[in-house]
């Protein structure tokens, strides 16, 4: 189990954004609208006004203060450096023809989705209870990895939604196996609208919270051990003193969007967000 966890951590280390090796793709390719998350509107394919010539953010240390909280909770799962350095061989979108820039911006969201799947599949292989499907998970991991190595043309033509659905069937089975051994009621709250819900101290051990809307929910002291959190919307959810030990399919962007404390217990696949410290 220890060796499996080490392999898991090493594999997922490659699936985190590395801005030093990226051409600021998320700051150009993706659109955003003026809201609580972004101070201004920006169209897809248009560089953010804060993006410098060296592809670095000019207000990175002050994003929350400047109204760009949405940037602080985003992670490309390593797609930025993959597209920049591998798919396009280190060719900068600023210096090439417009056609190449457009293709880079089209391909980036596709690779980001594939890398997110790689994250989930890598984690699934560390779950002992999912051993009956480990062979299928390894095959899905291999296939998804091969897809990320495609040419720009192949990636642009890829039906990524169909591939996600194929992998999701396997991840659902993984979830069922992993949660079967968890003590508790194993509630199925898949896709539930729990926005602003009062769940302080709730027993959610082994719960299926896939795609649940937990925006601004009070999860203070909640027991989320062994819960499936894939796709759960945790924006502004209060995880103060909650126990997420053994929770799986939880990503760093989800956690960054939530609130928590020094007493919040986390699985080893994620790190405690820096902005939590100021709240305790």
């Amino acid at each position: 189990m220890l060796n499996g966890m080490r392999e898991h951590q090493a594999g997922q280390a490659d699936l985190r954004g590395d801005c030093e090796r990226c051409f600021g793709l998320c700051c150009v390719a993706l659109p955003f609208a003026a809201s609580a998350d972004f101070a201004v509107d920006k169209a897809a394919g248009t560089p953010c006004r804060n993006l410098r010539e060296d592809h670095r953010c000019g207000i990175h240390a002050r994003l929350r203060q400047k109204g760009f909280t949405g940037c602080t909770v985003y992670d490309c799962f390593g797609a930025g450096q993959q597209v920049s350095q591998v798919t396009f061989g280190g060719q900068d979108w600023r210096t090439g023809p417009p056609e190449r820039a457009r293709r880079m911006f089209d391909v980036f969201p596709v690779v980001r989705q594939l890398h997110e799947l790689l994250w989930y599949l890598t984690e699934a292989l560390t779950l002992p209870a999912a051993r009956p499907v480990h062979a299928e998970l390894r095959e899905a991991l291999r296939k998804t990895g091969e897809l990320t190595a495609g040419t720009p043309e192949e990636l642009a033509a890829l039906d990524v939604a169909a591939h996600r659905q194929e992998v999701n069937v396997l991840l659902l089975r993984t979830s069922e196996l992993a949660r079967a051994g968890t003590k508790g009621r194993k509630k199925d709250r898949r896709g539930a609208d729990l926005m602003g819900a009062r769940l302080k101290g709730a027993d959610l051990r082994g719960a299926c919270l896939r795609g649940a809307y937990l925006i601004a929910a009070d999860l203070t002291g909640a027991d989320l051990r062994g819960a499936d959190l894939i796709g759960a919307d945790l924006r502004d959810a209060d995880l103060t003193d909650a126990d997420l030990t053994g929770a799986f399919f939880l990503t760093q962007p989800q956690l960054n969007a939530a609130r928590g404390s020094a007493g919040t217990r986390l699985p080893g696949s994620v790190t405690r967000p820096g902005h939590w410290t100021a709240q305790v």
Side-chain angles (χ1 to χ4, degrees):
M1 176 61 183
L2 182 58
N3 288 336
M5 181 56 69
R6 286 172 178 165
E7 291 176 2
H8 159 61
Q9 292 172 340
Q12 288 195 326
D14 294 329
L15 297 173
R16 298 182 190 275
D18 183 354
C19 297
E20 293 295 324
R21 299 171 57 211
C22 178
F23 297 134
L25 294 182
C26 66
C27 305
V28 187
L30 306 179
F32 52 72
S35 61
D37 294 322
F38 298 100
V40 296
D41 293 320
K42 189 191 83 65
T46 301
C48 173
R49 68 183 188 184
N50 299 309
L51 185 65
R52 303 185 316 206
E53 289 296 317
D54 63 356
H55 304 297
R56 299 294 173 264
C57 175
I59 61 168
H60 187 266
R62 297 170 288 129
L63 283 167
R64 289 182 179 274
Q65 298 92 315
K66 292 291 186 178
F68 288 86
T69 302
C71 297
T72 70
V73 301
Y74 178 82
D75 193 296
C76 70
F77 294 98
Q81 62 261 31
Q82 174 72 17
V83 173
S84 297
Q85 303 301 329
V86 180
T87 311
F88 286 88
Q91 299 178 88
D92 188 343
W93 58 268
R94 288 186 188 274
T95 58
E99 297 77 21
R100 186 171 72 201
R102 285 194 293 271
R103 181 52 58 91
M104 288 185 80
F105 303 152
D106 288 341
V107 164
F108 172 67
V110 173
V111 177
R112 199 267 185 187
Q113 291 189 65
L114 293 174
H115 273 228
E116 184 178 6
L117 291 177
L118 290 175
W119 175 281
Y120 295 138
L121 290 166
T122 301
E123 179 162 10
L125 282 166
T126 70
L127 302 175
R131 191 166 288 111
V133 293
H134 274 190
E136 294 171 76
L137 287 167
R138 290 191 189 93
E139 176 58 22
L141 184 66
R142 183 198 63 77
K143 181 178 179 180
T144 304
E146 287 185 351
L147 289 175
T148 68
T151 65
E153 293 73 25
E154 290 169 339
L155 287 164
L158 177 65
D159 186 347
V160 71
H163 183 66
R164 284 187 70 99
Q165 180 57 36
E166 181 181 326
V167 172
N168 189 52
V169 171
L170 190 53
L171 294 178
L172 276 168
R173 179 59 180 149
T174 298
S175 175
E176 292 167 356
L177 290 167
R179 292 183 298 108
T182 305
K183 295 180 180 180
R185 295 175 60 188
K186 305 178 186 64
K187 298 177 181 177
D188 187 350
R189 305 307 301 272
R190 189 185 314 174
D193 183 352
L194 298 171
M195 291 189 287
R198 298 176 181 177
L199 296 168
K200 184 175 181 179
D203 183 359
L204 294 168
R205 286 174 293 172
C208 179
L209 293 165
R210 298 170 66 89
Y213 296 94
L214 288 158
I215 302 169
D218 182 3
L219 289 161
T220 304
D223 192 343
L224 290 152
R225 286 177 291 173
D228 179 353
L229 293 167
I230 193 168
D233 193 335
L234 296 172
R235 283 178 293 170
D236 205 34
D238 192 348
L239 296 173
T240 298
D241 296 334
D243 190 350
L244 288 85
T245 306
F248 54 95
F249 298 151
L250 173 67
T251 66
Q252 195 64 47
Q254 285 174 292
L255 203 61
N256 291 348
R259 293 179 288 131
S261 68
T264 305
R265 280 155 286 186
L266 302 172
S269 58
V270 292
T271 58
R272 195 175 308 277
H275 69 277
W276 283 14
T277 306
Q279 298 173 5
V280 298

